[in-house]
Amino acid sequence: MTDPRTIRIVIVDDHHMFRTGVRAELTAASAASGSLSLEIVGEAGAVESAVQVITEQRPDVVLLDVHLPGGDGHGGADVIRACAGVQSTADVPVRFLALSVSDAAEDVIAVIRAGARGYVTKTISADELLTAISRVADGDAVFSPRLAGFVLDAFGAAAGEVAEIDEELDRLSAREREVMRLIARGYQYKEVAKELFISVKTVETHVSSVLRKLQLSSRHELTAWAMGRRLL
Amino acid sequence: MVALTLPVGEDGTVQTAYENGQGPVRPAWRATQRPPLVRHRQGKVVAGVAAGLADHLGVPVSAVRIALVLTSIPFGAGLAVYVFLWATMREIGDVVPVAPAPVADPAGAATSPGSSAGGGHGHHHIDLASLRTWLRSGNQAVLITLLGVAALALAGALWLGSAGFDVHAEVILPVVAIVIGAIFFWSQLDDTDAIGARRPVRWIWLVVGLGLTILGLVGLLVRGTDLTALWQVGGAVLAALVGVAVLSAPWILRLWSNLRLEQAARIRATERADIAAHLHDSVLQTLALIQRQSSDAATVARLARAQERQLRSYLYDEDARAGTLGAALTAAMGEVEDLHGVPVQLVVTGDRQIDEHLDALVKAVREAAWNAVRHGSPPVSAYVEVGPDAVEAFVRDHGAGFDLDDVPDDRAGVRESIIGRMERHGGTARIRHRADGTEIELRLPVRQPADPEPADPKAAPAKSPDAATAQTPTQNQTQNQTQNQTQNQTQTQTQEQAS
């Protein structure tokens, strides 16, 4: 975020009205911010067209709706799977940020486990969305309060289960739990950092580590849940 | 196929029933309308015909049964009437004659065997557990019918013999075998409605029925000749049956698939009608309101938000959580949103059944959120964590924070509604003023472990409980340390300072 750079974006959503709205909002917000410029290089409204646009344009970040027509019926998760291995023009993997009106845990976790770097609701403000996009472009993770709440729930952290070693995939470490709790309470990353006396970078590291656990964990709640919906 | 022809007869029957009750010249003694002539699943012994008939005629069911049995003995007239009524009367699941609901009802399937066993009038179970479960699984009716047919055949043979007719056992036995086989076959027909969801067809019964029928036919045909012809006759009967099956199979299959399609379409139509009704009552009304008040941005936002919340709870079936802390919090936050039009982001982890203490917590959270939307600025977020030994709630806004000196009214409100309420229920409340907003922290200790039902997967002992308990104290320690440090760093007001 220090150097003014251009992030290339593809917006995937089956509602044309919503795509237009996001495009207008993002353009205005990036013009106002100054430190960050966005270039919207493509739009798509279904799984197949999204895969085509993404492989052609090789964007940095894809804003991805959870529910999409086409594909195998898994919406956004299908797009992420079909685009596995596609690299952006900067030769790093294309990053996906899920953007949805749905708060239902199963929708959110489906795209996260498919490989999305983050999830935000469509009611997010333009500035926050901008921050989220730049964060995802840097390879960090973006958690909404609700996703953080789900993570605490699914990993049993709310019930007091904490990992003894950080590498354990099926539980959160004490620090990760603290970070998730603060995010669930509505704290921004920099507020979390201030609260815990750590740097924003460290917060990002913790969140990325939680994201990795969320994607890879075989914890029984997650697996049982995912199996029930034939995600694995 | 019979299922297809059934409605015709059934409509006719029902129609006459209504004509009796609803005719323009209704006799004075029949002021109330008769219940429709249908078979009930409750209180049935064989197929529910007698019970349904008694219900329709308004006479005791035992009288109908006795009459049927008595008229059956001489010429089998009662039996013929019974079979005719069984074929033409519609079977319904409940006593309450609701509008025909085509949706498959698994609850009905679950209750029907139990109720038929429980309501067996005058029927005594043999006290053997396995036999009883076998009977409960719905075989009772068939068994009784078989006994009845056997008794009837015996009675008929004796009567014919005493009347001087020549009784050939080799005729009677095959006929009885055919009848019993047919009953086996038809018993499956009765309990599987066209959706096929009430009870799975027991194929063994069909096989047994078919076998008995073939045996009966062979016996009937072989009667006069010697045993060497048995194989020939058996082969001929089998060939005839196979031929009939092959010829009629496409017809049956097509009728069956047509029926399935029709029913699926009807279910879909009902569902669509449900959804359409819901959308009309909620979304369309709200959209109309929004159009009328489009100049008032705050109202539009509030309406949209309220509608979104309602639609969400409809889609994700949040009624299922009724009576839990999560549901109460959702409702409370929704109320705050409705009153003030500011969205409140609510996150709840874990859940448990609500009690009076948790109710107090919900009220305190509501008051805190109410303060936040009035005096703070959005985004307002509420986070409630149901832990093993305490429920913690955090409500935070991003405003400049309310200065207690400027709003004396709220001081009492905060002191009484939040701090006082929490303390009365053994909890604590803290108000923290941060650089960019206010956060109210509520903590309510809970004694018993979290309700096992929502926390089921977590309550499973698999996940090394010793590690969790060993970690918890240190965890709390570090948390307290962090909080203490934070208290020194940011300008934190504890409850004493606030009041």
Side-chain angles (χ1 to χ4, degrees):
Chain A
M1 274 175 69
T2 44
D3 52 332
R5 61 196 179 111
T6 302
I7 301 178
R8 302 173 75 245
I9 296 183
V10 165
I11 303 174
V12 179
D13 195 297
D14 53 338
H15 291 100
H16 183 259
M17 221 160 71
F18 182 78
R19 292 203 302 263
T20 319
V22 170
R23 183 188 271 269
E25 265 188 4
L26 282 181
T27 317
S30 75
S33 84
S35 64
L36 190 75
S37 72
L38 296 179
E39 189 192 348
I40 295 158
V41 295
E43 286 182 15
V47 172
E48 286 77 13
S49 54
V51 173
Q52 196 191 344
V53 168
I54 291 166
T55 40
E56 274 172 15
Q57 292 294 334
R58 303 170 66 203
D60 297 305
V61 176
V62 178
L63 287 185
L64 188 65
D65 192 9
V66 172
H67 294 286
L68 283 176
D72 298 332
H74 298 128
D78 282 341
V79 177
I80 299 178
R81 268 186 226 109
C83 293
V86 178
Q87 296 208 316
S88 74
T89 43
D91 286 332
V92 290
V94 174
R95 266 85 185 230
F96 292 88
L97 175 62
L99 187 64
S100 170
V101 289
S102 169
D103 275 348
E106 55 263 37
D107 293 337
V108 178
I109 301 302
V111 284
I112 294 284
R113 276 180 90 88
R117 299 290 305 170
Y119 161 80
V120 289
T121 44
K122 280 182 178 176
T123 46
I124 191 174
S125 75
D127 285 334
E128 281 179 298
L129 182 58
L130 206 62
T131 316
I133 289 172
S134 71
R135 202 159 263 152
V136 168
D138 291 340
D140 292 318
V142 174
F143 275 29
S144 71
R146 195 171 282 270
L147 181 56
F150 174 78
V151 167
L152 287 169
D153 230 352
F155 283 90
E161 284 186 45
V162 180
E164 287 168 63
I165 45 165
D166 282 0
E167 286 72 29
E168 196 179 344
L169 273 180
D170 290 350
R171 274 183 232 157
L172 302 184
S173 74
R175 208 49 156 176
E176 287 162 357
R177 177 173 177 267
E178 279 309 299
V179 171
M180 282 297 118
R181 272 167 59 101
L182 289 170
I183 291 174
R185 278 156 71 172
Y187 282 54
Q188 306 293 315
Y189 283 20
K190 60 175 188 295
E191 294 170 327
V192 175
K194 199 173 150 195
E195 185 82 14
L196 299 178
F197 306 106
I198 51 180
S199 69
V200 174
K201 200 67 219 164
T202 315
V203 174
E204 286 171 348
T205 313
H206 283 310
V207 177
S208 294
S209 152
V210 174
L211 180 82
R212 197 174 61 91
K213 288 183 179 181
L214 191 55
Q215 287 170 344
L216 299 179
S217 169
S218 59
R219 199 185 153 86
H220 53 81
E221 283 95 347
L222 284 171
T223 5
W225 176 88
M227 293 277 280
R229 284 163 185 79
R230 298 204 200 90
L231 295 173
L232 296 178
Chain B
M1 275 179 303
V2 180
L4 264 187
T5 57
L6 260 176
V8 184
E10 152 225 320
D11 283 347
T13 330
V14 171
Q15 228 169 20
T16 52
Y18 283 145
E19 275 164 14
N20 281 344
Q22 290 181 322
V25 278
R26 182 185 291 176
W29 51 271
R30 201 182 284 162
T32 53
Q33 189 187 320
R34 281 192 171 162
L37 185 57
V38 285
R39 289 186 288 130
H40 297 311
R41 293 228 228 149
Q42 278 115 4
K44 70 171 188 181
V45 170
V46 179
V49 170
L53 197 63
D55 199 23
H56 175 66
L57 295 174
V59 293
V61 67
S62 50
V64 177
R65 290 205 174 111
I66 290 168
L68 277 173
V69 170
L70 285 181
T71 48
S72 295
I73 287 171
F75 296 104
L79 190 69
V81 167
Y82 194 96
V83 170
F84 175 75
L85 286 177
W86 169 74
T88 52
M89 279 164 73
R90 184 169 47 124
E91 184 186 39
I92 60 164
D94 317 78
V95 181
V96 190
V98 287
V103 185
D105 176 22
T111 53
S112 101
S115 59
S116 72
H121 285 244
H123 174 67
H124 300 285
H125 294 292
I126 300 164
D127 201 7
L128 284 170
S130 58
L131 187 62
R132 187 182 284 175
T133 47
W134 186 73
L135 286 175
R136 283 236 174 97
S137 65
N139 300 329
Q140 177 191 32
V142 181
L143 193 73
I144 291 168
T145 316
L146 289 180
L147 289 176
V149 168
L152 207 65
L154 197 66
L158 286 176
W159 182 76
L160 284 172
S162 67
F165 289 97
D166 200 9
V167 181
H168 299 282
E170 65 265 35
V171 179
I172 297 292
L173 282 179
V175 168
V176 168
I178 291 171
V179 169
I180 288 174
I183 286 168
F184 267 101
F185 232 92
W186 290 341
S187 73
Q188 294 309 302
L189 178 80
D190 198 21
D191 272 338
T192 48
D193 63 356
I195 298 174
R198 260 184 222 161
R199 206 172 78 180
V201 176
R202 283 192 210 77
W203 292 104
I204 182 75
W205 286 55
L206 293 185
V207 171
V208 168
L210 197 64
L212 278 174
T213 311
I214 292 175
L215 217 61
L217 285 173
V218 171
L220 206 59
L221 293 171
V222 131
R223 163 172 66 101
T225 54
D226 56 354
L227 273 179
T228 51
L230 189 81
W231 292 112
Q232 287 175 7
V233 175
V237 167
L238 206 60
L241 281 177
V242 167
V244 168
V246 165
L247 283 179
S248 59
W251 280 92
I252 298 171
L253 283 179
R254 202 166 73 189
L255 285 172
W256 177 249
S257 69
N258 281 351
L259 197 65
R260 294 295 290 252
L261 281 177
E262 195 184 301
Q263 252 153 4
R266 211 164 60 204
I267 291 170
R268 263 204 301 277
T270 315
E271 270 173 5
R272 200 162 44 224
D274 269 357
I275 293 170
H278 180 86
L279 290 182
H280 182 265
D281 289 349
S282 58
V283 179
L284 285 182
Q285 304 279 10
T286 307
L287 285 177
L289 273 177
I290 285 177
Q291 281 171 20
R292 268 210 308 236
Q293 313 206 345
S294 55
S295 54
D296 186 352
T299 312
V300 168
R302 193 171 69 228
L303 285 171
R305 180 78 187 164
Q307 183 54 61
E308 182 195 338
R309 203 158 7 83
Q310 202 209 341
L311 203 57
R312 238 179 239 295
S313 87
Y314 176 73
L315 287 176
Y316 302 127
D317 195 22
E318 296 198 345
D319 292 347
R321 303 190 300 159
T324 62
L325 177 64
L329 283 166
T330 312
M333 294 302 110
E335 230 175 283
V336 170
E337 280 180 14
D338 281 350
L339 287 170
H340 229 266
V342 177
V344 180
Q345 158 95 55
L346 172 69
V347 177
V348 183
T349 63
D351 211 347
R352 56 187 295 152
Q353 289 299 315
I354 201 151
D355 58 22
E356 53 168 326
H357 302 301
L358 288 177
D359 190 49
L361 179 78
V362 171
K363 289 204 172 85
V365 170
R366 185 187 182 280
E367 189 63 32
W370 178 237
N371 266 321
V373 298
R374 268 194 306 180
H375 304 297
S377 58
V380 176
S381 48
Y383 170 59
V384 179
E385 184 178 291
V386 181
D389 45 25
V391 178
E392 288 174 278
F394 305 87
V395 180
R396 105 164 266 226
D397 64 63
H398 287 78
F402 58 94
D403 194 339
L404 291 169
D405 295 331
D406 290 350
V407 272
D409 290 344
D410 283 326
R411 204 159 74 178
V414 168
R415 200 191 305 148
E416 186 43 38
S417 310
I418 302 178
I419 299 169
R421 182 176 272 143
M422 289 307 293
E423 285 183 344
R424 275 200 297 282
H425 288 270
T428 52
R430 237 161 47 108
I431 299 167
R432 295 176 57 195
H433 287 271
R434 302 170 41 87
D436 51 352
T438 309
E439 183 164 21
I440 296 179
E441 302 183 0
L442 310 172
R443 188 171 195 281
L444 183 76
V446 285
R447 276 167 297 279
Q448 69 274 41
D451 189 50
E453 200 216 343
D456 192 30
K458 268 157 274 166
K463 287 278 160 186
S464 61
D466 51 337
T469 44
Q471 281 290 328
T472 315
T474 53
Q475 177 58 34
N476 286 344
Q477 240 170 21
T478 50
Q479 190 185 332
N480 289 342
Q481 277 168 9
T482 342
Q483 277 172 356
N484 289 339
Q485 285 163 344
T486 327
Q487 270 175 16
N488 299 336
Q489 277 279 324
T490 60
Q491 17 158 271
T492 307
Q493 288 192 338
T494 54
Q495 170 229 331
E496 288 79 21
Q497 288 165 312
S499 53

